[in-house]
Amino acid sequence: MDIVTIVLILAIVGGLLMAFSIGANDAANAMASSVGSRAISVRQAVVIASTLAFVGAVFLGANVAATISRGIINPEMIEDQNVLMLGMLGALLSAGLWVLLATVFGFPVSTTHSIVGSILGFGFVAGGPEVVRWGTMFGIVLSWIISPFFGALLAYLVFSHIRKKVLSARDFVRNAKLWAPFWLAMTVVLVMSSFLLKMPMGKALGINMYAIFGIACVVAAVVWGIGYVVVGRLLHGVEQGPETMEELFRRMQIGMACYMALSLGANDVANAIGPVAAIWVIARTGGLAASAEVPIWLLLFGGMGIAVGVMVLGKRVMSTVGERITLLTNTRGFSVGFGAATTVLMASNLGMPVSTTHATVGGVVGVGLARGFAAVDFRVLGKIVMYWLLTVPVAAFTSVVIFQLLRWFVL
């Protein structure tokens, strides 16, 4: 068995480790607010997240051309392709181990930043500082501040609006019929826009921004109209009060969680499969092309790893984000999901590499602060932020160590 084959086999093992860790940790992004607000049980969350994350990974996660290097390093400046293969392998193992360690302790970290830090580490050692795309790194550092801040701000504003216009309103039924369909329409528009702008299948349709805006307006009007009728029927004859409104948002929250689980598989499978695909291409062609088709078996492999990770360790991080930072209700959980999804969508369209994890945690803090500072457990939040700050340097350092060991033993 030659060196290339050995490295490829090890890369598949490393990709499985990373996919497992993504499923175990990032499940919190999709399900934490739903579990924390009791919209669904932990068991239901695991089933939904594992199933839809697998579907998203296999059917929507094929476009990993930009993921192969993530824009962190310039692979063309590393002439020895064997060094590049070992570096990608070291990055996979490093990122997978760091995310797994954070998951065991129950803390959410960015899997994207983990793989970015790992590739940065080996690239710096293998090719020098000029190999690193420092502009991208600067954007990542900015995202540590921007994504949790905007996630918190949007969740705070959405929940404050629901509380003022609906939960505290005198004419409860009238206001609920007006505003619940409004947020339902905004959610559907958000999901549709995200699909058209971010998902490979949506991008392939080639619809420009103006057309998407026009479609969004029409869809929003139609959904609001249907929602007005449906909410009116649901509230007909029921006992009036905030509890009824929480039940309405519980249903909307489940739909939001399903979308986020699908998006988790579609977007984050690249963090596990991208480096494996790079090694696969080098092993087959002797070089790393600018873009490459990813075999379907690799996507199946990544989707399976994410699903197993959700089932085995997913509830640890769900518990931290959904239950330990602040008390969540269905309206607060819906506000968290809306704020996080909007933040990630807006930032992605601006080309900023924000983390869904950071935006979700920011959203949870935002709805907590709507009840005052005493409603947020800042000790838990402080530990989470410490893990965020450590992610890139720890992943980079571990990647360098693993890369050097592989280079000494293999080359």
Side-chain angles (χ1 to χ4, degrees), residues 87-106:
M88 289 292 180
L89 174 58
L92 264 179
L93 295 174
S94 170
L97 288 173
W98 169 247
V99 178
L100 183 61
L101 178 67
T103 305
V104 169
F105 285 98

Side-chain angles (χ1 to χ4, degrees), residues 7-19 64 67-68 85 88-89 92-93 115 269-283 288 294-295 297-299 301-302:
V7 171
L8 183 58
I9 293 173
L10 290 175
I12 292 174
V13 175
L16 181 60
L17 171 66
M18 186 61 184
V64 297
T67 310
I68 289 176
M85 279 202 305
M88 289 292 180
L89 174 58
L92 264 179
L93 295 174
I115 195 68
V269 71
N271 292 336
I273 295 307
V276 181
I279 295 172
W280 166 261
V281 171
I282 294 171
L288 182 59
V294 179
W297 65 267
L298 269 181
L299 293 171
F301 178 77

